[in-house]
Amino acid sequence: MGNTSNSTKQKKQQSETSRSAKNKFLHISGFAIFAVQLIVTIIFLVFLQYVNILPTSFKMMIGMLLILFCLATLITQYWKIPGIVTKIFSVLFSVILIVGCVYINSTRKAISNISGSKIQETQMGVYVLADNPADSIAEIKDSPFGIIANIDRKTTDKTIGDIEKEISSEISIVEYEGTTQIIEALLSKNVTAIIINQSYINILSEHSDYEDLDKKIKLISTYKQVSDVINNNVPGESPSREGVFTVYVSGIDTNGAPTVNQNSDVNILIAVNTNTHQILMINTPRDFYVPLSISNGVKDKLTHAGCYGIDCSVDTIEMLYGINIDHYLKVNFTGFVNIIDALNGVDIYSEYEFTTIHGGYHYVKGYNHLNGIQALGFARERYSFGSGDRQRGKNQMAVIKAMINKMMTSDMLINYTRVLNAVSASMATDMSYDEITDLVKMQLETMPTWDIQSFSVDGTGDNLPCFSLSSPNYVMIPDESTVNRAKEYLNNIYNDIIINTAS
């Protein structure tokens, strides 16, 4: 009997010792898990404050909830039997906060990358004839180089300086009046090489006389010249109202950084009224025949303004509509393919059923769910429509509207970092970090429903000389009645008057 009693006591003692050790382990592990949760919580709150993308009320609410969760985790450590479920919850919650930190940091990086853009890049090229055996400037340094005399001369002179520094000698310069004259000088062998903004070659290639220009000449050297974007706004020159701002969207159809000067194939003016929660998008066709801000009254295609810099495009649109533009957003429309793909496609409304000339993409009348390449084809097409570039402008606005709508869905959250990475690579704006985050905070705080209105100015086609091309080229002569209507819509937006472009 005694042995049995002793054996029972020993088992009981062992059981209590084991339970005590287990409880001790649970308490220690619980405090360790709490410590991790507390550290991660502090880091998360610091990130949240640093990024400053949420309204103060949101941050306070989130902070209070996180503190309560931490207190709940700590209190459970004093229970007689520490909770396993609570510890699992604490670990999962810490993982969620770590993922949240990654999202917040991605947000900060993306906004920092696209905001505050105050520079533009001009890609200057040295071209020779395609059959010239030279592959470097050193091989032709004693030959004459042609330049354009009066267009963007400062950039050209900087390039000449870079070339002379590179080859350690001066080069012979011959000046020409414009793009047509300088290219003819090269083709006729009056000069061996030309120094020219590479985007001007794209301008020349639009003309029927130079469609095969890329086969007749070759690029042997490139020089990147960086300059400041100049804001020429005059205070008080146009209507202004608190809560209303305008953004000029310039779309360049090319690879590379969005800061590179290139033809502006998309020209959309967006006026936002945060008082009435209306957004007005005005499309101006790329071939609109207007004076550029640098052309001294000589008319040109609007698209060509982008070759001379984003500030030239902004100033030209301001001259056309008689307003001051607050900000610009430059979009690489080749790169925007990645944004749409990151969103798992967008639903775009088409006014017509059509098939694109390039790529053979087919679209039905009504809503089409499109991936990035299909959406780009939709935005580019103009040959399938009787109204040509007019309808293309409407389609481009439809793409932007579809992207805005998709970004309001759960797909934006699921693919958040992918979308931000795509945005960082394809957009640049002069809006500051704080201006962008203020807009986000306003949207989150009030959650307004936006009424998006769109309008496209119109015109008639003709063949006329341009500032950038002395020989006749296809242009669209503005229909002043549509321009005046756009001005009226803008004035109403500025004065908190609800508009309806459909009427």
Side-chain angles (χ1 to χ4, degrees):
M1 284 289 289
N3 290 336
T4 301
S5 177
N6 290 334
S7 176
T8 301
K9 288 180 178 179
Q10 287 177 355
K11 287 181 179 180
K12 187 177 180 179
Q13 288 175 351
Q14 289 174 353
S15 176
E16 289 176 353
T17 302
S18 175
R19 186 162 48 249
S20 176
K22 181 181 178 181
N23 288 343
K24 185 177 180 181
F25 171 77
L26 289 174
H27 277 298
I28 294 173
S29 62
F31 280 117
I33 292 171
F34 166 73
V36 171
Q37 181 182 337
L38 181 62
I39 292 170
V40 173
T41 298
I42 293 172
I43 293 173
F44 181 84
L45 291 174
V46 169
F47 268 57
L48 207 59
Q49 181 63 29
Y50 180 54
V51 173
N52 193 29
I53 200 169
L54 294 180
T56 302
S57 58
F58 278 46
K59 288 187 288 187
M60 289 179 64
M61 182 177 65
I62 291 172
M64 289 175 62
L65 287 174
L66 293 180
I67 291 171
L68 287 175
F69 282 136
C70 286
L71 288 175
T73 303
L74 179 61
I75 290 171
T76 57
Q77 310 316 313
Y78 290 97
W79 288 3
K80 187 174 181 181
I81 302 177
I84 297 294
V85 175
T86 306
K87 290 175 174 54
I88 294 173
F89 174 80
S90 180
V91 171
L92 291 175
F93 190 70
S94 296
V95 171
I96 292 171
L97 288 181
I98 291 171
V99 173
C101 288
V102 173
Y103 272 49
I104 291 172
N105 193 47
S106 296
T107 303
R108 181 191 62 80
K109 284 184 177 179
I111 297 177
S112 297
N113 285 342
I114 69 172
S115 64
S117 177
K118 301 291 186 182
I119 62 167
Q120 53 192 340
E121 301 175 16
T122 302
Q123 300 284 357
M124 298 293 292
V126 178
Y127 292 86
V128 297
L129 292 175
D131 58 3
N132 191 319
D135 290 317
S136 68
I137 294 177
E139 298 175 65
I140 56 170
K141 64 179 183 179
D142 296 324
S143 304
F145 288 72
I147 66 168
I148 299 176
N150 298 315
I151 302 176
D152 200 10
R153 183 58 186 265
K154 185 177 179 180
T155 303
T156 300
D157 287 342
K158 286 172 65 178
T159 305
I160 292 172
D162 290 343
I163 291 172
E164 292 180 338
K165 183 177 179 180
E166 180 182 313
I167 62 175
S168 300
S169 65
E170 293 185 0
I171 58 175
S172 174
I173 297 298
V174 182
E175 297 182 353
Y176 294 92
E177 184 179 344
T179 52
T180 305
Q181 291 82 356
I182 193 174
I183 204 68
E184 286 296 334
L186 178 61
L187 295 176
S188 60
K189 299 184 179 181
N190 290 332
V191 291
T192 302
I194 58 173
I195 302 169
I196 190 172
N197 184 335
Q198 291 184 39
S199 63
Y200 298 175
I201 301 299
N202 294 334
I203 293 177
L204 288 162
S205 298
E206 295 175 8
H207 198 279
S208 57
D209 292 345
Y210 300 108
E211 288 178 341
D212 59 348
L213 184 61
D214 60 331
K215 298 176 182 177
K216 295 180 179 180
I217 64 175
K218 69 177 182 180
L219 177 69
I220 63 171
S221 191
T222 297
Y223 298 86
K224 182 176 76 172
Q225 303 296 350
V226 178
S227 60
D228 294 331
V229 177
I230 301 173
N231 185 340
N232 293 314
N233 281 350
V234 178
E237 194 174 71
S238 64
S240 62
R241 187 178 182 87
E242 187 176 353
V244 183
F245 64 92
T246 52
V247 180
Y248 164 64
V249 179
S250 170
I252 57 173
D253 194 5
T254 183
N255 290 310
T259 51
V260 173
N261 292 335
Q262 188 60 269
N263 277 6
S264 183
D265 285 341
V266 177
N267 301 277
I268 296 175
L269 180 63
I270 300 178
V272 181
N273 188 316
T274 61
N275 302 316
T276 63
H277 301 132
Q278 272 204 315
I279 296 175
L280 170 65
M281 295 194 298
I282 296 177
N283 172 65
T284 311
R286 69 188 297 277
D287 295 324
F288 231 45
Y289 194 50
V290 294
L292 305 187
S293 63
I294 63 166
S295 65
N296 293 319
V298 180
K299 293 185 178 181
D300 200 344
K301 290 185 179 188
L302 175 60
T303 183
H304 293 165
C307 296
Y308 306 111
I310 184 66
D311 40 12
C312 180
S313 293
V314 168
D315 293 343
T316 300
I317 291 289
E318 289 180 333
M319 289 165 53
L320 177 62
Y321 295 114
I323 61 168
N324 276 341
I325 293 173
D326 298 297
H327 300 289
Y328 70 81
L329 174 65
K330 201 169 182 183
V331 183
N332 180 333
F333 262 67
T334 304
F336 99 138
V337 168
N338 296 328
I339 300 175
I340 293 176
D341 285 339
L343 288 167
N344 289 328
V346 292
D347 296 316
I348 299 175
Y349 185 84
S350 176
E351 296 180 347
Y352 303 97
E353 181 175 358
F354 67 96
T355 301
T356 61
I357 298 296
H358 302 292
Y361 301 111
H362 184 75
Y363 310 92
V364 300
K365 182 178 180 179
Y367 282 100
N368 297 259
H369 184 77
L370 308 179
N371 61 27
I373 292 294
Q374 293 166 337
L376 183 62
F378 182 86
R380 278 176 167 171
E381 183 62 21
R382 58 174 168 165
Y383 300 106
S384 298
F385 312 111
S387 56
D389 198 50
R390 303 174 187 85
Q391 186 59 40
R392 177 164 74 166
K394 293 180 181 178
N395 288 350
Q396 289 164 352
M397 289 190 289
V399 172
I400 293 175
K401 185 175 181 179
M403 290 174 67
I404 292 173
N405 290 335
K406 190 60 179 286
M407 286 181 177
M408 300 299 175
T409 68
S410 58
D411 278 349
M412 178 66 184
L413 294 175
I414 295 170
N415 302 288
Y416 191 72
T417 54
R418 286 181 59 205
V419 173
L420 290 183
N421 288 337
V423 167
S424 296
S426 59
M427 293 185 180
T429 179
D430 65 338
M431 292 182 73
S432 69
Y433 184 98
D434 288 340
E435 286 172 324
I436 294 175
T437 56
D438 284 346
L439 287 174
V440 175
K441 285 187 282 189
M442 181 271 296
Q443 177 66 28
L444 292 173
E445 199 160 25
T446 60
M447 293 301 289
T449 300
W450 292 95
D451 173 27
I452 303 176
Q453 299 284 320
S454 59
F455 180 72
S456 183
V457 293
D458 207 347
T460 55
D462 204 342
N463 283 285
L464 296 169
C466 296
F467 171 73
S468 302
L469 286 169
S470 56
S471 51
N473 197 14
Y474 175 80
V475 299
M476 182 184 289
I477 300 174
D479 178 345
E480 291 301 329
S481 67
T482 63
V483 174
N484 289 333
R485 191 174 168 191
K487 290 179 179 179
E488 182 182 349
Y489 286 141
L490 285 167
N491 187 62
N492 287 344
I493 285 286
Y494 277 114
N495 288 286
D496 291 350
I497 300 173
I498 300 295
I499 62 171
N500 182 4
T501 58
S503 63

